[in-house]
Amino acid sequence: MLTPGRGRTGAGARGTGGSLAVTKRLMLFTDVGFLVYFSITGLGLIPPAWAFADYANPLMVSWNWSFLWIDLPASATGLTSLYLLRRGARNGPQLMLVSLVLTSASGLMAVAFWTLRGDFSLAWWIPNLYLLLFPLPAIARLTGTARVGEHAERGR
């Protein structure tokens, strides 16, 4: 169970907020980035030299757009969680966790795909490794915030 505003040390909302400050900034950057990326892609503004391999292939176009359905919810839950956290809402950390898991899954899916294809272009690996990895410390923190005593009391 997530206990909003409580870290491992039992710190209040202020302590947890500070410990997740970097994650919050990265989330804002990433969630806005998802929206910008799909806007640019939809408008056809990615220069061919920057595009991934077989970018114009209809199958690859479909593969790329399939990420909209994980990246858009990641962005929506992320931006909403940041808003809720600023307001001190109790459900902010839970929504933040949902966003971070979706973001990491998106990065994992892309990295797995590029691995299976044997395509190791740093231009596409670096952003997707970022998506996979940056959420992990905060996911660990958010899922490790249950108070030990709560579990023991439920078992009685």
Short mmCIF file of all heavy atoms in Angstrom, two decimals, residues 63 107-121 125 129 132:
data_model
loop_
_atom_site.label_atom_id
_atom_site.label_comp_id
_atom_site.label_asym_id
_atom_site.label_seq_id
_atom_site.Cartn_x
_atom_site.Cartn_y
_atom_site.Cartn_z
N TRP A 63 3.99 0.60 -36.14
CA TRP A 63 4.69 0.26 -34.89
C TRP A 63 4.93 1.53 -34.07
O TRP A 63 4.65 1.57 -32.88
CB TRP A 63 6.03 -0.44 -35.20
CG TRP A 63 6.89 -0.54 -33.98
CD1 TRP A 63 6.80 -1.46 -32.98
CD2 TRP A 63 7.95 0.35 -33.61
NE1 TRP A 63 7.75 -1.20 -32.01
CE2 TRP A 63 8.46 -0.10 -32.38
CE3 TRP A 63 8.52 1.47 -34.19
CZ2 TRP A 63 9.51 0.53 -31.73
CZ3 TRP A 63 9.56 2.10 -33.54
CH2 TRP A 63 10.04 1.63 -32.33
N GLY A 107 9.68 2.50 -22.80
CA GLY A 107 11.11 2.40 -23.13
C GLY A 107 11.55 0.96 -23.32
O GLY A 107 12.30 0.64 -24.25
N LEU A 108 11.08 0.07 -22.45
CA LEU A 108 11.43 -1.34 -22.55
C LEU A 108 10.94 -1.93 -23.87
O LEU A 108 11.66 -2.68 -24.54
CB LEU A 108 10.85 -2.12 -21.37
CG LEU A 108 11.06 -3.63 -21.40
CD1 LEU A 108 12.54 -3.98 -21.39
CD2 LEU A 108 10.33 -4.28 -20.23
N MET A 109 9.71 -1.62 -24.24
CA MET A 109 9.16 -2.14 -25.50
C MET A 109 10.01 -1.70 -26.69
O MET A 109 10.29 -2.50 -27.58
CB MET A 109 7.71 -1.66 -25.67
CG MET A 109 6.74 -2.30 -24.71
SD MET A 109 5.09 -1.53 -24.69
CE MET A 109 4.74 -1.22 -26.39
N ALA A 110 10.41 -0.45 -26.72
CA ALA A 110 11.20 0.05 -27.84
C ALA A 110 12.59 -0.59 -27.85
O ALA A 110 13.07 -1.02 -28.91
CB ALA A 110 11.31 1.57 -27.78
N VAL A 111 13.23 -0.67 -26.70
CA VAL A 111 14.56 -1.27 -26.63
C VAL A 111 14.50 -2.74 -27.03
O VAL A 111 15.36 -3.24 -27.77
CB VAL A 111 15.17 -1.09 -25.21
CG1 VAL A 111 16.39 -1.96 -25.01
CG2 VAL A 111 15.51 0.38 -24.97
N ALA A 112 13.47 -3.45 -26.57
CA ALA A 112 13.32 -4.86 -26.96
C ALA A 112 13.15 -4.98 -28.47
O ALA A 112 13.75 -5.86 -29.11
CB ALA A 112 12.12 -5.47 -26.23
N PHE A 113 12.35 -4.11 -29.06
CA PHE A 113 12.14 -4.14 -30.50
C PHE A 113 13.43 -3.91 -31.27
O PHE A 113 13.78 -4.65 -32.18
CB PHE A 113 11.08 -3.11 -30.91
CG PHE A 113 10.82 -3.07 -32.37
CD1 PHE A 113 9.98 -4.00 -32.96
CD2 PHE A 113 11.41 -2.10 -33.17
CE1 PHE A 113 9.75 -3.98 -34.34
CE2 PHE A 113 11.16 -2.07 -34.54
CZ PHE A 113 10.34 -3.01 -35.12
N TRP A 114 14.16 -2.85 -30.88
CA TRP A 114 15.41 -2.54 -31.58
C TRP A 114 16.42 -3.65 -31.39
O TRP A 114 17.21 -3.94 -32.29
CB TRP A 114 15.98 -1.20 -31.12
CG TRP A 114 15.11 -0.03 -31.46
CD1 TRP A 114 14.55 0.86 -30.59
CD2 TRP A 114 14.68 0.38 -32.75
NE1 TRP A 114 13.80 1.78 -31.27
CE2 TRP A 114 13.85 1.51 -32.61
CE3 TRP A 114 14.89 -0.12 -34.04
CZ2 TRP A 114 13.26 2.16 -33.68
CZ3 TRP A 114 14.30 0.53 -35.11
CH2 TRP A 114 13.50 1.66 -34.92
N THR A 115 16.40 -4.30 -30.23
CA THR A 115 17.31 -5.43 -30.00
C THR A 115 16.96 -6.59 -30.94
O THR A 115 17.85 -7.18 -31.56
CB THR A 115 17.22 -5.90 -28.53
OG1 THR A 115 17.58 -4.81 -27.68
CG2 THR A 115 18.15 -7.07 -28.26
N LEU A 116 15.68 -6.91 -31.03
CA LEU A 116 15.25 -8.00 -31.91
C LEU A 116 15.59 -7.72 -33.37
O LEU A 116 15.92 -8.64 -34.13
CB LEU A 116 13.75 -8.25 -31.77
CG LEU A 116 13.31 -8.87 -30.45
CD1 LEU A 116 11.79 -8.86 -30.33
CD2 LEU A 116 13.85 -10.28 -30.31
N ARG A 117 15.52 -6.48 -33.76
CA ARG A 117 15.86 -6.10 -35.14
C ARG A 117 17.36 -6.01 -35.36
O ARG A 117 17.82 -5.94 -36.49
CB ARG A 117 15.25 -4.73 -35.48
CG ARG A 117 13.79 -4.82 -35.83
CD ARG A 117 13.24 -3.50 -36.29
NE ARG A 117 14.01 -2.84 -37.32
CZ ARG A 117 13.64 -2.71 -38.58
NH1 ARG A 117 12.52 -3.23 -38.99
NH2 ARG A 117 14.38 -2.07 -39.44
N GLY A 118 18.14 -5.98 -34.28
CA GLY A 118 19.58 -5.83 -34.42
C GLY A 118 19.98 -4.43 -34.86
O GLY A 118 21.01 -4.22 -35.47
N ASP A 119 19.16 -3.45 -34.54
CA ASP A 119 19.38 -2.06 -34.92
C ASP A 119 19.88 -1.31 -33.68
O ASP A 119 19.15 -1.15 -32.72
CB ASP A 119 18.08 -1.45 -35.44
CG ASP A 119 18.26 -0.05 -36.00
OD1 ASP A 119 19.26 0.62 -35.68
OD2 ASP A 119 17.38 0.37 -36.76
N PHE A 120 21.12 -0.87 -33.72
CA PHE A 120 21.72 -0.24 -32.55
C PHE A 120 22.09 1.22 -32.79
O PHE A 120 23.19 1.65 -32.48
CB PHE A 120 22.93 -1.05 -32.08
CG PHE A 120 22.55 -2.43 -31.63
CD1 PHE A 120 22.74 -3.52 -32.46
CD2 PHE A 120 21.97 -2.62 -30.39
CE1 PHE A 120 22.37 -4.78 -32.05
CE2 PHE A 120 21.59 -3.89 -29.97
CZ PHE A 120 21.79 -4.97 -30.81
N SER A 121 21.17 1.99 -33.32
CA SER A 121 21.40 3.41 -33.54
C SER A 121 21.27 4.15 -32.21
O SER A 121 20.22 4.12 -31.56
CB SER A 121 20.36 3.95 -34.53
OG SER A 121 20.41 5.36 -34.54
N TRP A 125 18.38 4.60 -29.37
CA TRP A 125 18.61 3.84 -28.14
C TRP A 125 18.67 4.75 -26.92
O TRP A 125 18.09 4.44 -25.88
CB TRP A 125 19.91 3.02 -28.25
CG TRP A 125 19.66 1.66 -28.80
CD1 TRP A 125 19.44 1.34 -30.11
CD2 TRP A 125 19.57 0.45 -28.06
NE1 TRP A 125 19.24 0.00 -30.22
CE2 TRP A 125 19.32 -0.58 -28.99
CE3 TRP A 125 19.70 0.14 -26.71
CZ2 TRP A 125 19.18 -1.90 -28.60
CZ3 TRP A 125 19.57 -1.19 -26.33
CH2 TRP A 125 19.30 -2.19 -27.27
N LEU A 129 16.39 4.17 -23.76
CA LEU A 129 17.01 3.73 -22.49
C LEU A 129 16.68 4.72 -21.38
O LEU A 129 16.45 4.33 -20.24
CB LEU A 129 18.53 3.58 -22.66
CG LEU A 129 18.98 2.32 -23.39
CD1 LEU A 129 20.49 2.38 -23.64
CD2 LEU A 129 18.61 1.07 -22.62
N LEU A 132 13.23 3.93 -20.24
CA LEU A 132 13.25 2.70 -19.46
C LEU A 132 13.82 2.91 -18.07
O LEU A 132 13.25 2.43 -17.08
CB LEU A 132 14.08 1.64 -20.21
CG LEU A 132 14.43 0.36 -19.44
CD1 LEU A 132 13.17 -0.41 -19.06
CD2 LEU A 132 15.37 -0.50 -20.27
#
